PDB file of all heavy atoms in Angstrom:
ATOM      1  N   PHE A 329     -19.536  -2.475  14.149  1.00  0.00           N
ATOM      2  CA  PHE A 329     -19.005  -1.157  13.810  1.00  0.00           C
ATOM      3  C   PHE A 329     -19.819  -0.523  12.687  1.00  0.00           C
ATOM      4  O   PHE A 329     -20.199   0.653  12.762  1.00  0.00           O
ATOM      5  CB  PHE A 329     -17.537  -1.279  13.395  1.00  0.00           C
ATOM      6  CG  PHE A 329     -16.926  -0.003  12.899  1.00  0.00           C
ATOM      7  CD1 PHE A 329     -16.590   1.008  13.784  1.00  0.00           C
ATOM      8  CD2 PHE A 329     -16.681   0.187  11.545  1.00  0.00           C
ATOM      9  CE1 PHE A 329     -16.024   2.198  13.328  1.00  0.00           C
ATOM     10  CE2 PHE A 329     -16.117   1.367  11.073  1.00  0.00           C
ATOM     11  CZ  PHE A 329     -15.786   2.377  11.974  1.00  0.00           C
ATOM     12  N   SER A 330     -20.078  -1.301  11.634  1.00  0.00           N
ATOM     13  CA  SER A 330     -20.789  -0.799  10.465  1.00  0.00           C
ATOM     14  C   SER A 330     -21.478  -1.958   9.756  1.00  0.00           C
ATOM     15  O   SER A 330     -20.799  -2.826   9.204  1.00  0.00           O
ATOM     16  CB  SER A 330     -19.809  -0.110   9.498  1.00  0.00           C
ATOM     17  OG  SER A 330     -20.367   0.026   8.207  1.00  0.00           O
ATOM     18  N   PRO A 331     -22.802  -1.999   9.751  1.00  0.00           N
ATOM     19  CA  PRO A 331     -23.499  -3.074   9.025  1.00  0.00           C
ATOM     20  C   PRO A 331     -23.096  -3.158   7.558  1.00  0.00           C
ATOM     21  O   PRO A 331     -23.039  -4.256   6.996  1.00  0.00           O
ATOM     22  CB  PRO A 331     -24.974  -2.684   9.180  1.00  0.00           C
ATOM     23  CG  PRO A 331     -25.027  -1.913  10.466  1.00  0.00           C
ATOM     24  CD  PRO A 331     -23.733  -1.137  10.502  1.00  0.00           C
ATOM     25  N   GLU A 332     -22.791  -2.019   6.947  1.00  0.00           N
ATOM     26  CA  GLU A 332     -22.346  -2.027   5.550  1.00  0.00           C
ATOM     27  C   GLU A 332     -21.047  -2.806   5.402  1.00  0.00           C
ATOM     28  O   GLU A 332     -20.906  -3.635   4.496  1.00  0.00           O
ATOM     29  CB  GLU A 332     -22.150  -0.593   5.049  1.00  0.00           C
ATOM     30  CG  GLU A 332     -21.647  -0.527   3.605  1.00  0.00           C
ATOM     31  CD  GLU A 332     -21.295   0.875   3.153  1.00  0.00           C
ATOM     32  OE1 GLU A 332     -21.286   1.799   4.002  1.00  0.00           O
ATOM     33  OE2 GLU A 332     -21.013   1.064   1.946  1.00  0.00           O
ATOM     34  N   MET A 333     -20.093  -2.578   6.296  1.00  0.00           N
ATOM     35  CA  MET A 333     -18.821  -3.292   6.217  1.00  0.00           C
ATOM     36  C   MET A 333     -19.008  -4.774   6.535  1.00  0.00           C
ATOM     37  O   MET A 333     -18.363  -5.632   5.927  1.00  0.00           O
ATOM     38  CB  MET A 333     -17.799  -2.665   7.165  1.00  0.00           C
ATOM     39  CG  MET A 333     -17.337  -1.298   6.727  1.00  0.00           C
ATOM     40  SD  MET A 333     -15.932  -0.724   7.706  1.00  0.00           S
ATOM     41  CE  MET A 333     -15.821   0.973   7.118  1.00  0.00           C
ATOM     42  N   GLY A 334     -19.889  -5.072   7.473  1.00  0.00           N
ATOM     43  CA  GLY A 334     -20.161  -6.465   7.774  1.00  0.00           C
ATOM     44  C   GLY A 334     -20.726  -7.198   6.565  1.00  0.00           C
ATOM     45  O   GLY A 334     -20.352  -8.350   6.290  1.00  0.00           O
ATOM     46  N   ALA A 335     -21.615  -6.544   5.817  1.00  0.00           N
ATOM     47  CA  ALA A 335     -22.209  -7.162   4.626  1.00  0.00           C
ATOM     48  C   ALA A 335     -21.164  -7.372   3.534  1.00  0.00           C
ATOM     49  O   ALA A 335     -21.172  -8.397   2.840  1.00  0.00           O
ATOM     50  CB  ALA A 335     -23.349  -6.285   4.110  1.00  0.00           C
ATOM     51  N   ILE A 336     -20.249  -6.418   3.391  1.00  0.00           N
ATOM     52  CA  ILE A 336     -19.171  -6.592   2.408  1.00  0.00           C
ATOM     53  C   ILE A 336     -18.285  -7.759   2.829  1.00  0.00           C
ATOM     54  O   ILE A 336     -17.930  -8.627   2.027  1.00  0.00           O
ATOM     55  CB  ILE A 336     -18.339  -5.302   2.285  1.00  0.00           C
ATOM     56  CG1 ILE A 336     -19.185  -4.176   1.694  1.00  0.00           C
ATOM     57  CG2 ILE A 336     -17.103  -5.546   1.396  1.00  0.00           C
ATOM     58  CD1 ILE A 336     -18.517  -2.810   1.754  1.00  0.00           C
ATOM     59  N   GLY A 337     -17.932  -7.807   4.117  1.00  0.00           N
ATOM     60  CA  GLY A 337     -17.082  -8.879   4.616  1.00  0.00           C
ATOM     61  C   GLY A 337     -17.706 -10.243   4.427  1.00  0.00           C
ATOM     62  O   GLY A 337     -17.004 -11.223   4.116  1.00  0.00           O
ATOM     63  N   GLN A 338     -19.017 -10.346   4.587  1.00  0.00           N
ATOM     64  CA  GLN A 338     -19.709 -11.621   4.410  1.00  0.00           C
ATOM     65  C   GLN A 338     -19.482 -12.189   3.019  1.00  0.00           C
ATOM     66  O   GLN A 338     -19.358 -13.410   2.831  1.00  0.00           O
ATOM     67  CB  GLN A 338     -21.202 -11.421   4.665  1.00  0.00           C
ATOM     68  CG  GLN A 338     -22.070 -12.637   4.375  1.00  0.00           C
ATOM     69  CD  GLN A 338     -21.739 -13.820   5.266  1.00  0.00           C
ATOM     70  OE1 GLN A 338     -21.445 -13.646   6.447  1.00  0.00           O
ATOM     71  NE2 GLN A 338     -21.782 -15.022   4.721  1.00  0.00           N
ATOM     72  N   GLN A 339     -19.391 -11.327   2.032  1.00  0.00           N
ATOM     73  CA  GLN A 339     -19.199 -11.797   0.662  1.00  0.00           C
ATOM     74  C   GLN A 339     -17.869 -12.540   0.494  1.00  0.00           C
ATOM     75  O   GLN A 339     -17.791 -13.501  -0.270  1.00  0.00           O
ATOM     76  CB  GLN A 339     -19.250 -10.618  -0.317  1.00  0.00           C
ATOM     77  CG  GLN A 339     -20.592  -9.920  -0.388  1.00  0.00           C
ATOM     78  CD  GLN A 339     -20.604  -8.826  -1.439  1.00  0.00           C
ATOM     79  OE1 GLN A 339     -20.475  -9.101  -2.639  1.00  0.00           O
ATOM     80  NE2 GLN A 339     -20.744  -7.586  -1.002  1.00  0.00           N
ATOM     81  N   PHE A 340     -16.849 -12.097   1.196  1.00  0.00           N
ATOM     82  CA  PHE A 340     -15.543 -12.753   1.085  1.00  0.00           C
ATOM     83  C   PHE A 340     -15.633 -14.214   1.521  1.00  0.00           C
ATOM     84  O   PHE A 340     -15.038 -15.096   0.900  1.00  0.00           O
ATOM     85  CB  PHE A 340     -14.503 -12.012   1.933  1.00  0.00           C
ATOM     86  CG  PHE A 340     -13.997 -10.748   1.314  1.00  0.00           C
ATOM     87  CD1 PHE A 340     -14.707  -9.555   1.448  1.00  0.00           C
ATOM     88  CD2 PHE A 340     -12.813 -10.728   0.595  1.00  0.00           C
ATOM     89  CE1 PHE A 340     -14.252  -8.378   0.882  1.00  0.00           C
ATOM     90  CE2 PHE A 340     -12.336  -9.556   0.026  1.00  0.00           C
ATOM     91  CZ  PHE A 340     -13.062  -8.380   0.167  1.00  0.00           C
ATOM     92  N   PHE A 341     -16.377 -14.457   2.592  1.00  0.00           N
ATOM     93  CA  PHE A 341     -16.525 -15.831   3.090  1.00  0.00           C
ATOM     94  C   PHE A 341     -17.484 -16.638   2.222  1.00  0.00           C
ATOM     95  O   PHE A 341     -17.255 -17.824   1.973  1.00  0.00           O
ATOM     96  CB  PHE A 341     -17.033 -15.809   4.534  1.00  0.00           C
ATOM     97  CG  PHE A 341     -16.023 -15.321   5.529  1.00  0.00           C
ATOM     98  CD1 PHE A 341     -15.943 -13.986   5.879  1.00  0.00           C
ATOM     99  CD2 PHE A 341     -15.144 -16.215   6.130  1.00  0.00           C
ATOM    100  CE1 PHE A 341     -15.014 -13.535   6.809  1.00  0.00           C
ATOM    101  CE2 PHE A 341     -14.204 -15.780   7.063  1.00  0.00           C
ATOM    102  CZ  PHE A 341     -14.144 -14.442   7.397  1.00  0.00           C
TER     103      PHE A 341
END
Side-chain angles (χ1 to χ4, degrees):
F329 174 75
S330 162
E332 178 187 8
M333 290 190 189
I336 294 170
Q338 174 63 38
Q339 295 184 65
F340 283 84
F341 289 92

